Amino acid sequence: ERIGLCQEDLCGPEIAASTISDIENGKHLPQLSVIKQVFERMNMKVPMNLISVTDEQFELYILQMQIEEKIGRNIFSFEDELQEFEKKNIEKDIFDKQFILMCKGILAKERNTKESIFEGKIFFIEALQNTIPEFNGKRNFPQKRFLTSKEIKCLYEFALAERKLEHYENSKFYVENLFNYFNKEIVDENEKIKYKAQLLLEKIELEKRDNNYLEILENANDGIEHSLKYCSEYFLFFLFEKANALEHLGRRDEAIVLFMLHEDILREKKS
């Protein structure tokens, strides 16, 4: 509408108007050929990264995006999408083995039994070995200057699996090294924001084992500062952990104030 075109103008003889409507409303995933035709009718250049992509490759890309979107929202019901993705990878001889192994690891870990968490851990190791052959999960953090998004996700999930398996020192090693990695300037800013918050929460969980409440307090303070600046969705988690640490350190008056603030914010969010 902003450029003076209606659905019929975009459709032409090859595309049904209902198809455009379904795409706009998220009810239909477009084929690459449809996207290219729409760009042409809008007198816009097709993005360079789509010019040489086939419909089959684009279909795999959309499937991968669907799975990644569910993982990002902590929705672990993507078995069907993963099976289809793996099947199509094999059929088209593309086969993103690292992504498939990582997803299998996440699904296994989230079943949350000791056996399934261990199975997930093995998937993460195999996924990392796909691009970092020397990785064995025994305190050998990758020495690469730059880690891919999939490698970071595998390392993070591996550290979580180790904590759940009560391999605390190994988990701590990878959490600390990942945290230090995200202090580098070369790291993507969006990934840095997300993972630093998650890693600070993980550091807190690991310190609870040793009742190290001074360290927990320090991490909670860092987390509050980080979440207020970048990612407010984590703020309440860090606020609660700070209040809990203060209570264990005998600073009850300060803790009560923060617990009350935590409850007030929760009440406001629900109303």
Side-chain angles (χ1 to χ4, degrees):
E1 291 179 1
R2 286 198 301 268
I3 58 174
L5 295 176
C6 63
Q7 285 183 354
E8 287 73 17
D9 295 323
L10 293 177
C11 296
E14 307 94 341
I15 308 170
S18 59
T19 300
I20 298 294
S21 177
D22 286 345
I23 290 169
E24 288 178 341
N25 293 309
K27 297 177 181 177
H28 179 76
L29 290 173
Q31 288 187 317
L32 181 59
S33 54
V34 172
I35 290 178
K36 287 180 177 177
Q37 287 177 50
V38 169
F39 266 95
E40 287 168 6
R41 292 204 173 88
M42 293 171 70
N43 289 318
M44 295 173 65
K45 288 184 178 180
V46 178
M48 287 295 293
N49 59 343
L50 294 182
I51 289 175
S52 60
V53 174
T54 65
D55 275 336
E56 291 85 357
Q57 289 170 326
F58 186 70
E59 187 179 2
L60 282 171
Y61 172 74
I62 293 294
L63 261 176
Q64 182 170 332
M65 291 289 289
Q66 287 178 319
I67 295 168
E68 287 177 344
E69 194 262 344
K70 282 192 172 184
I71 291 172
R73 291 166 53 204
N74 292 325
I75 298 173
F76 305 109
S77 56
F78 53 86
E79 293 93 336
D80 292 343
E81 292 97 325
L82 184 59
Q83 284 179 7
E84 186 179 355
F85 182 80
E86 185 171 15
K87 180 183 175 184
K88 289 183 181 296
N89 264 262
I90 294 169
E91 286 173 355
K92 306 303 176 187
D93 198 27
I94 300 170
F95 209 53
D96 187 347
K97 187 176 180 182
Q98 187 171 63
F99 180 73
I100 291 167
L101 288 168
M102 180 189 78
C103 291
K104 287 182 176 181
I106 291 170
L107 287 172
K109 181 176 73 70
E110 292 304 320
R111 289 199 293 272
N112 221 25
T113 67
K114 192 166 185 176
E115 293 76 16
S116 66
I117 295 167
F118 182 79
E119 181 186 3
K121 167 185 168 176
I122 299 303
F123 277 129
F124 297 135
I125 291 173
E126 290 178 359
L128 284 160
Q129 287 174 341
N130 195 58
T131 52
I132 310 169
E134 67 275 13
F135 183 80
N136 60 18
K138 297 176 181 177
R139 303 198 194 187
N140 64 331
F141 193 82
Q143 296 304 305
K144 295 171 67 175
R145 182 171 181 267
F146 180 77
L147 295 169
T148 67
S149 294
K150 280 181 272 193
E151 288 167 346
I152 290 167
K153 181 64 173 173
C154 285
L155 285 164
Y156 174 73
E157 293 291 343
F158 174 78
L160 266 60
E162 286 288 77
R163 176 173 61 79
K164 288 188 172 187
L165 291 168
E166 300 181 4
H167 302 160
Y168 298 113
E169 292 307 316
N170 207 38
S171 178
K172 197 170 186 177
F173 172 85
Y174 286 100
V175 167
E176 290 289 350
N177 275 276
L178 271 172
F179 192 81
N180 292 337
Y181 174 80
F182 281 109
N183 286 327
K184 296 180 181 178
E185 292 182 5
I186 59 166
V187 180
D188 176 78
E189 194 62 28
N190 290 327
E191 283 197 327
K192 183 184 293 189
I193 288 168
K194 177 184 70 173
Y195 276 109
K196 283 194 84 168
Q198 293 176 345
L199 288 163
L200 280 166
L201 285 171
E202 194 60 22
K203 287 170 81 170
I204 287 170
E205 287 301 316
L206 288 162
E207 294 298 344
K208 284 179 182 178
R209 172 178 167 266
D210 297 324
N211 297 319
N212 192 349
Y213 289 101
L214 279 172
E215 192 69 30
I216 290 170
L217 182 59
E218 184 178 334
N219 286 321
N221 282 330
D222 288 346
I224 287 171
E225 183 180 345
H226 182 75
S227 57
L228 285 173
K229 191 173 181 180
Y230 297 113
C231 43
S232 58
E233 67 270 24
Y234 290 97
F235 174 72
L236 280 176
F237 294 106
F238 289 115
L239 185 65
F240 180 82
E241 294 296 352
K242 179 175 181 177
N244 193 48
L246 287 169
E247 185 173 44
H248 279 88
L249 291 167
R251 294 160 63 177
R252 185 162 178 74
D253 290 346
E254 294 174 72
I256 288 172
V257 171
L258 294 187
F259 279 129
M260 289 174 65
L261 176 60
H262 184 269
E263 287 301 313
D264 288 344
I265 295 172
L266 273 181
R267 202 175 297 114
E268 280 183 26
K269 287 171 76 75
K270 289 177 182 177
S271 62

